[in-house]
Amino acid sequence: MAGEFVVYGERGWGNVAVEAGLTLIGAPYRVVDAGASGPERPPQTVTAQVPVLELPGGEIITESAAILIWLADAFPQARLSPPIDSPRRPAFLRWMAFVSSSIYALYWVRDVPGRVVDGEAAQAQVKTRLAERIVRGWGLMEAGITPGPWLLGEDLTVLDLYVTVVSRWTPRGPLHDHIAPRIGAVVRRVESHPRLAALWAERFPLGLDPDEG
Ligand SMILES: N[C@@H](CCC(=O)N[C@@H](CS)C(=O)NCC(=O)O)C(=O)O
């Protein structure tokens, strides 16, 4: 596919997984700052959230999991997803959807509990409960996969990129060391991937902990 992609997003937010995918694919792209401090979010989206990927032809894709799956399928030579007839395809789709719906989606409330409840005490409780739920989600995934070097075995996929970004949000340290150590080991491998090191340093350095994301 010729032409440039445009990624709308912010440092440390879910769009960094999309940037990682495009980097491994080797496709040309530019990033538009559409985060808290950036200019307006792309008006084409329903939720006004990022990531948003604009294709070279101008079409828009939203939803991080959909974007990553589409990219992997559109560039099969990059081998970033198990092919449709692979025995690993069901697990790939299952965990991509799980990370999106059972973990990532919770941050919309966890980061700003005032979106759903009033009062300091209630908001603190919602924050705690959702943190527990997020931890439980990672625990379920840890128990449900048998990683090789990468989460689905021998080949790195966009699931590894997605999990690396989403699992870096709270509670990163305990999560990677204790709650989901096998996932943590894969995340460290993704973080030190030679073709991604520069991206992580610039777009999601360790120590950057966007409370929203
Ligand atoms: N379901 C969406 C969630 C996207 C999302 O929560 N994005 C965050 C950044 S990581 C965002 O835009 N936050 C700002 C807001 O919700 O206003 C997806 O998977 O792409």
Side-chain angles (χ1 to χ4, degrees), residues 37-93:
S37 54
E40 276 181 41
R41 307 237 172 100
Q44 302 93 327
T45 68
V46 177
T47 61
Q49 291 185 313
V50 294
V52 174
L53 180 68
E54 190 178 318
L55 308 190
E59 191 178 338
I60 291 287
I61 314 182
T62 64
E63 295 306 315
S64 50
I67 295 170
L68 288 166
I69 294 168
W70 181 86
L71 276 176
D73 287 349
F75 294 93
Q77 68 281 9
R79 298 168 51 111
L80 290 177
S81 66
I84 193 88
D85 55 353
S86 161
R88 296 199 166 126
R89 184 77 180 185
F92 169 71
L93 292 177

Side-chain angles (χ1 to χ4, degrees), residues 15-32:
N15 48 279
V16 180
V18 177
E19 295 167 40
L22 286 162
T23 301
L24 290 182
I25 287 165
Y29 72 93
R30 69 186 163 89
V31 178
V32 172

Side-chain angles (χ1 to χ4, degrees), residues 13-14 41 49-51 63-64 100 104 108 115 162 169 212-213:
W13 285 16
R41 307 237 172 100
Q49 291 185 313
V50 294
E63 295 306 315
S64 50
S100 170
Y104 193 165
W108 186 78
R115 283 171 164 162
Y162 200 25
W169 303 327
E212 290 204 347

